[in-house]
Amino acid sequence: MTETFEAATRASLAALIEHHIRFTLAKSRGQLRKRDWYTAVAMALRDLLVDRMLATRARFDRRDAKRVYYLSLEFLIGRSLDNNLLNLGIREMCRELLAARGIDLQALFDEEHDAALGNGGLGRLAACFLDSMASLDMPGYGYGINYEFGLFRQEVRDGYQVEAPDAWQQDPSPWLIPRPEEACVVPVYGRIEHDDRQGRYQPRWVDQRPLVGLPSDLLIAGYGGKTVNFVRLFAARASDEFDIRIFNSGDYVKAVEQKIVSETLSKILYPSDSIQAGRELRLMQEYFFVGCAIRDILRGFSRRGEDDIRDLPSRVAIQLNDTHPTLAIAELMRLLLDEYGLEWGAAWEITNATVAFTNHTLMPEALERWPLALLEHVIPRHLQIIREIDSRLRGHAATVWGEQSEKLGRIAIIDPYANGGEVRMAHLAMVGSHSINGVSELHSELVKTRLAPEFHELWPERFNNKTNGVTQRRWLLLANPRLANLLTRLIGDGWVTDLERLRVLEQHAGDEGLHAEFTAIKRENKERLATTVHRLLQLDLDPESLFDVQAKRIHEYKRQLLMLLGIVYQYLRVVEDHVDPIVPRSYIIAGKAAPGYWAAKLIIKLINCVADVVNNDARTHGLLKVAFVPDYRVSLAERIIPAADLSEQISTAGREASGTGNMKFAMNGALTIGTLDGANIEIRDAVGPENIFIFGLTAGEIAELTQRGDYQPSRYYHQDERIRRVLDAIADGRFLPREPDLFRWVRESLLGRDEYMVLADFAAYIETQEAISREYAQRGSWRRKSILNVARIGRFSSDRAVREYARDIWHLSD
Ligand code: 26Q
């Protein structure tokens, strides 16, 4: 920033703050609470952002730039104040301004409620991509739902997870700009009247009910403040016009009922990231939002003066974040056929060349399938179109494989046998997209070989990999300011926009002075986390101890249980064998369970029971501590991740599509204990095998065991005394004597099927943990590895990921 520009910005920021205190809050200085200061500063900042947003749009228009639309049911943004100040480069200026008025900026950050419009990895990835697209000056916009209630707040009562509603907009968010004039109307329900005019089949969709989508734009500032984009979030409203029609017909109660149903649509984010909900409301959410997005995209296209819809693919790219927005394909087809009057072939070509699909899971229970009957009821015209796509797909496949091929049934979109007929959304997404990508090298291979071998055979050129990344602006610069300062002092601030620059650090990995600074920074971050944990749990963590962290959604495949078995093993070593661990450890676990996922909820209860026993046993005092930190969310992650020494990434190989927490931890100098799963494999390749702790079966070995059908978990129990001890202690009520039967399930399920092969990996896991303790005891060697992790993590920036999407899928420089 030049001096005059800086002075001008300072003056306008100060003036804007005063303005909002007076005219938005209508208060005088003396009356202000902390919350008011937050609001005034945020509103002032929003004004600066709006200016730049308008300028950005004008610039893209002049450049006639191709637009990218990222369609996602989830955007896990977190807080915006600190992030926006950083990205505009005015955080210190704002700090000084406020300090002169006796206000601590840092304290204002905690006034902001997280925007938790997502469950976990997939939603946070969308948020990181928005940050990167804006920072790279790309015209990239999100489309999503403006949920009134974000992901539930997690409370822990008596060791159990209890869900509370997250009314994040109780005070309206200053980052959301309502755009009522851009409302969209989307039809649902009704029926099809078949009509043949001039020899052409012209279906008429009648008795529709209109839904209204009310957009609000959430501003996304790129780093450097030049580019400000937004994610457009739709809230559902009933159509007034429609209401009046029913009111006039005399059915007052029905009219009010319908209004309520319509507005329920955008009430709440579905809190599951695995089991498919299968509920009408969820289907309505997916369709409603896609309907609004596509209309808005096409409106923008013609507003920019485009008059030939055939040019759409060269002007617009649409990325589907998993199958949740897949109906975009059917909706775009419907508009092109029924509104634009195109022939099928032309419409299909445009759709296919515009849309691309990212897959985030192979887990069968997470793959979306919708019953034909439900689709018929909600979107009859779309179902017709889906049937036509299916029939053409099978027709094409039959010309390649023959009419009798078994593959025809496997590739079909409609599975006629399941529950009276279902649409497989991933199949619709794949046939309708010109690009199909997985999110790590391993996962992308598995997409081709396991999820969709038939599609891969027909269209190998569509399949590609885009390994995930995370934004270093939030996950290093914002979350770990001390480390960020040290890096900038050493190598300059180029890493903020080019994470590969961190590699220069390799040269200093042996430098003792640097070791000391790294250690001091980690220590301060651990102290900060200890303070938070003390406030939340009244539990004291020793910052000298090894902070061993697993923070992510609770899932059987992520194997929080494996970590827990390891903790119980350590505990029994101390209290029964009188063998102390080589280094004291603090086990820190955080994460939410889907409210209907009882196994995950029981795991939380077990963690808390084990924590109770371990933390209150005098024999482990000063050696072991266990903390389950409630309400894991973006702002808490920003506190936890910089404080970790060890990052647990221990999913059953082949199950975690990528993982992104693994990248955030390594970026902050934690070492990883992990399986050869998802992006862990690429992290190992990047940081070097000597700087990461890999253990356990590979995806190939697991597949083989499963195929042979001779995995016998009970063998491990009988042959390994350590497993026996740990499982018996848990199952026999040692951690909850009042209710000795509660955790019998753990032993039963692990000895029965052990679907996630916890026992097969147990020995390797605890032996690796032992090696880790020995390594940690040698502080110099640990610190060196930690520095090398930071130095070599550059590839896992979402800037790299987004650039690859832009080059290979969106063709942005067109
Ligand atoms: C589907 C239907 C109905 C209701 C909910 C859902 C639903 C919602 C969310 C299904 C899945 C999700 C979220 C999945 C997710 O977060 N996947 C993670 O994506 C990350 C980003 O690519 C990966 O790093 C993780 O490995 C993957 O688990």
Side-chain angles (χ1 to χ4, degrees):
M1 246 188 270
T2 65
E3 236 168 82
T4 46
F5 184 64
E6 179 165 343
T9 310
R10 184 187 301 269
S12 62
L13 183 61
L16 285 167
I17 292 174
E18 296 302 331
H19 172 89
H20 286 293
I21 289 174
R22 194 155 187 88
F23 298 109
T24 304
L25 299 168
K27 289 190 176 181
S28 64
R29 275 281 195 85
Q31 296 174 288
L32 297 181
R33 301 162 305 159
K34 214 173 1 173
R35 173 88 215 164
D36 296 323
W37 277 105
Y38 162 73
T39 306
V41 173
M43 296 298 281
L45 190 55
R46 160 189 157 139
D47 291 349
L48 296 180
L49 290 171
V50 164
D51 270 341
R52 293 166 197 229
M53 187 262 291
L54 295 172
T56 303
R57 192 200 310 241
R59 189 155 46 77
F60 289 145
D61 279 345
R62 278 199 303 279
R63 216 199 279 170
D64 202 12
K66 180 172 179 179
R67 302 315 205 249
V68 175
Y69 300 107
Y70 199 81
L71 269 54
S72 178
L73 264 89
E74 309 199 1
F75 289 92
L76 195 39
I77 305 272
R79 293 175 174 163
S80 290
L81 178 56
D82 193 8
N83 197 246
N84 286 338
L85 286 170
L86 266 176
N87 280 4
L88 290 196
I90 57 174
R91 188 170 65 171
E92 293 320 308
M93 173 192 296
C94 187
R95 196 190 298 285
E96 292 163 16
L97 252 168
L98 289 173
R101 291 158 178 77
I103 300 298
D104 175 19
L105 175 62
Q106 210 67 32
L108 299 190
F109 296 152
D110 286 328
E111 290 293 316
E112 182 171 2
H113 203 103
D114 279 41
L117 310 183
N119 274 287
L122 165 147
R124 183 55 231 177
L125 185 75
C128 283
F129 281 9
L130 291 176
D131 178 86
S132 283
M133 290 191 291
S135 296
L136 294 171
D137 193 30
M138 291 180 189
Y141 304 88
Y143 275 109
I145 292 182
N146 189 358
Y147 300 108
E148 193 175 327
F149 296 94
L151 186 61
F152 65 85
R153 193 156 46 76
Q154 179 192 56
E155 292 175 4
V156 174
R157 286 194 214 140
D158 185 31
Y160 288 101
Q161 165 175 300
V162 176
E163 300 89 14
D166 167 55
W168 72 291
Q169 301 197 59
Q170 227 153 40
D171 303 301
S173 165
W175 314 114
L176 269 179
I177 303 179
R179 299 278 188 202
E181 73 285 4
E182 308 268 297
C184 294
V185 182
V186 180
V188 283
Y189 299 128
R191 61 199 162 79
I192 306 299
E193 277 181 359
H194 306 279
D195 212 338
D196 269 299
R197 265 165 293 168
Q198 299 132 13
R200 186 174 175 223
Y201 177 55
Q202 295 203 324
R204 285 192 306 133
W205 183 3
V206 297
D207 294 343
Q208 306 165 339
R209 201 170 105 197
L211 289 171
V212 177
L214 211 58
S216 297
D217 295 342
L218 199 146
L219 300 176
I220 306 288
Y223 187 75
K226 176 173 166 211
T227 308
V228 177
N229 294 336
F230 54 85
V231 49
R232 181 158 277 195
L233 302 173
F234 289 93
R237 293 285 175 272
S239 134
D240 288 339
E241 214 181 305
F242 186 70
D243 285 348
I244 289 163
R245 253 192 302 167
I246 321 184
F247 278 117
N248 290 345
S249 77
D251 201 340
Y252 172 75
V253 172
K254 185 174 167 206
V256 175
E257 269 172 8
Q258 295 216 351
K259 196 174 175 67
I260 292 169
V261 171
S262 305
E263 309 202 335
T264 305
L265 259 189
S266 54
K267 273 268 175 267
I268 180 173
L269 163 76
Y270 272 86
S272 168
D273 65 343
S274 49
I275 315 290
Q276 202 225 306
R279 303 277 290 270
E280 177 168 340
L281 185 63
R282 168 77 184 191
L283 177 68
M284 292 274 275
Q285 285 187 335
E286 294 184 357
Y287 167 66
F288 157 74
F289 132 74
V290 146
C292 293
I294 297 292
R295 270 168 191 71
D296 203 55
I297 290 169
L298 293 178
R299 183 165 58 195
F301 175 75
S302 29
R303 215 180 259 168
R304 287 191 296 279
E306 304 288 348
D307 49 13
D308 190 349
I309 194 68
R310 285 176 176 74
D311 293 335
L312 190 71
S314 68
R315 313 307 314 136
V316 163
I318 296 176
Q319 191 70 35
L320 306 181
N321 199 20
D322 214 294
T323 52
H324 318 153
T326 297
L327 288 170
I329 292 169
E331 175 67 358
L332 185 52
M333 282 299 287
R334 186 182 78 79
L335 291 173
L336 295 179
L337 294 169
D338 299 354
E339 309 280 323
Y340 286 75
L342 294 186
E343 298 294 327
W344 183 277
W348 185 248
E349 207 176 295
I350 293 170
T351 301
N352 189 268
T354 304
V355 177
F357 165 58
T358 304
N359 170 276
H360 297 265
T361 183
L362 304 172
M363 309 269 287
E365 66 271 30
L367 295 176
E368 286 192 289
R369 296 161 151 260
W370 290 109
L372 294 176
L374 185 57
L375 294 170
E376 173 77 51
H377 176 59
V378 177
I379 39 176
R381 176 65 183 134
H382 297 77
L383 180 58
Q384 268 190 323
I385 290 170
I386 293 169
R387 285 187 191 281
E388 181 67 23
I389 298 172
D390 181 47
S391 135
R392 286 172 185 251
L393 169 64
R394 282 182 290 107
H396 173 70
T399 64
V400 180
W401 297 322
E403 296 284 350
Q404 300 308 316
S405 171
E406 281 183 2
K407 291 191 248 181
L408 299 187
R410 289 208 292 270
I411 203 170
I413 296 172
I414 296 174
D415 175 357
Y417 303 110
N419 308 314
E422 286 180 342
V423 171
R424 298 160 167 157
M425 299 305 273
H427 290 211
L428 178 56
M430 289 191 284
V431 72
S433 301
H434 66 281
S435 165
I436 301 161
N437 77 281
V439 289
S440 72
E441 281 166 15
L442 172 67
H443 169 66
S444 295
E445 279 311 304
L446 297 177
V447 167
K448 292 192 276 190
T449 55
R450 291 192 200 163
L451 181 74
E454 291 81 17
F455 283 93
H456 181 240
E457 199 182 326
L458 289 185
W459 293 292
E461 71 285 355
R462 290 187 189 183
F463 288 78
N464 65 96
N465 172 245
K466 293 288 168 283
T467 298
N468 285 164
V470 302
T471 169
Q472 67 268 31
R473 268 86 55 190
R474 184 175 289 265
W475 296 109
L476 185 48
L477 184 62
L478 180 149
N480 199 344
R482 296 177 182 87
L483 182 56
N485 281 335
L486 171 63
L487 296 173
T488 297
R489 215 178 67 227
L490 274 175
I491 66 172
D493 66 359
W495 61 271
V496 177
T497 48
D498 178 7
L499 201 62
E500 293 278 4
R501 300 266 186 101
L502 290 178
R503 196 174 295 280
V504 184
L505 220 59
E506 276 186 14
Q507 301 160 14
H508 307 280
D511 180 344
E512 273 180 28
L514 182 58
H515 281 210
E517 289 187 279
F518 243 72
T519 308
I521 288 167
K522 188 59 87 180
R523 164 92 200 192
E524 281 180 62
N525 292 338
K526 288 164 80 172
E527 280 166 3
R528 255 184 104 214
L529 177 57
T531 307
T532 303
V533 167
H534 182 87
R535 179 166 49 78
L536 293 172
L537 302 174
Q538 287 75 51
L539 176 71
D540 288 308
L541 301 183
D542 175 7
E544 272 304 299
S545 64
L546 189 166
F547 277 22
D548 179 348
V549 184
Q550 187 171 23
K552 54 183 79 218
R553 287 299 286 256
I554 312 291
H555 247 287
E556 287 166 281
Y557 85 80
K558 294 179 189 282
R559 299 201 295 193
Q560 278 89 0
L561 253 186
L562 179 56
M563 178 166 172
L564 201 58
L565 300 190
I567 297 172
V568 169
Y569 175 72
Q570 272 303 328
Y571 172 70
L572 296 177
R573 290 288 283 165
V574 175
V575 301
E576 290 182 350
D577 302 346
H578 311 292
V579 177
D580 286 358
I582 302 168
V583 294
R585 277 202 200 221
S586 299
Y587 299 99
I588 297 159
I589 304 168
K592 292 175 182 175
Y597 189 175
W598 69 268
K601 294 180 102 172
L602 200 59
I603 289 170
I604 292 178
K605 171 68 174 168
L606 179 55
I607 295 168
N608 282 310
C609 287
V610 169
D612 247 5
V613 169
V614 172
N615 298 338
N616 295 306
D617 191 321
R619 294 167 295 183
T620 60
H621 194 79
L623 298 174
L624 303 175
K625 283 272 152 47
V626 182
F628 181 82
V629 192
D631 204 28
Y632 188 56
R633 60 197 188 280
V634 172
S635 58
L636 188 56
E638 290 163 6
R639 181 67 50 100
I640 292 177
I641 292 171
D645 293 305
L646 185 64
S647 149
E648 301 254 358
Q649 307 298 337
I650 59 178
S651 52
T652 313
R655 303 294 183 127
E656 189 70 272
S658 162
T660 43
N662 45 6
M663 303 166 188
K664 297 165 197 166
F665 280 99
M667 196 175 280
N668 283 279
L671 302 196
T672 301
I673 177 168
T675 48
L676 285 175
D677 199 13
N680 296 353
I681 300 175
E682 291 156 73
I683 294 176
R684 178 200 57 177
D685 294 345
V687 303
E690 64 288 1
N691 300 311
I692 186 169
F693 300 95
I694 296 292
F695 73 97
L697 297 174
T698 63
E701 288 165 344
I702 285 185
E704 203 179 305
L705 259 180
T706 311
Q707 270 152 31
R708 286 210 313 262
D710 64 354
Y711 174 53
Q712 288 183 318
S714 59
R715 277 219 202 134
Y716 292 88
Y717 177 82
H718 294 298
Q719 284 167 9
D720 190 334
E721 180 262 343
R722 300 168 298 186
I723 294 183
R724 219 156 47 233
R725 263 173 101 183
V726 168
L727 288 190
D728 290 349
I730 291 172
D732 296 343
R734 178 146 184 171
F735 298 102
L736 190 58
R738 284 187 288 124
E739 263 179 278
D741 290 338
L742 189 64
F743 300 123
R744 294 182 75 85
W745 164 81
V746 173
R747 187 172 59 193
E748 274 160 24
S749 83
L750 293 182
L751 293 188
R753 204 151 90 90
D754 189 13
E755 198 184 344
Y756 300 100
M757 306 212 176
V758 172
L759 299 192
D761 278 344
F762 175 80
Y765 176 68
I766 57 169
E767 283 154 27
T768 305
Q769 282 287 20
E770 236 130 35
I772 287 168
S773 292
R774 286 194 294 275
E775 193 76 45
Y776 190 75
Q778 313 197 346
R779 299 288 166 132
S781 144
W782 184 276
R783 211 38 80 197
R784 189 185 136 78
K785 291 180 197 297
S786 160
I787 292 170
L788 286 174
N789 267 264
V790 177
R792 297 173 175 170
I793 207 68
R795 176 154 185 266
F796 302 94
S797 166
S798 44
D799 296 347
R800 186 269 313 147
V802 157
R803 276 207 184 90
E804 289 179 3
Y805 277 89
R807 183 193 63 200
D808 303 342
I809 303 176
W810 305 331
H811 307 295
L812 260 206
S813 43
D814 278 1

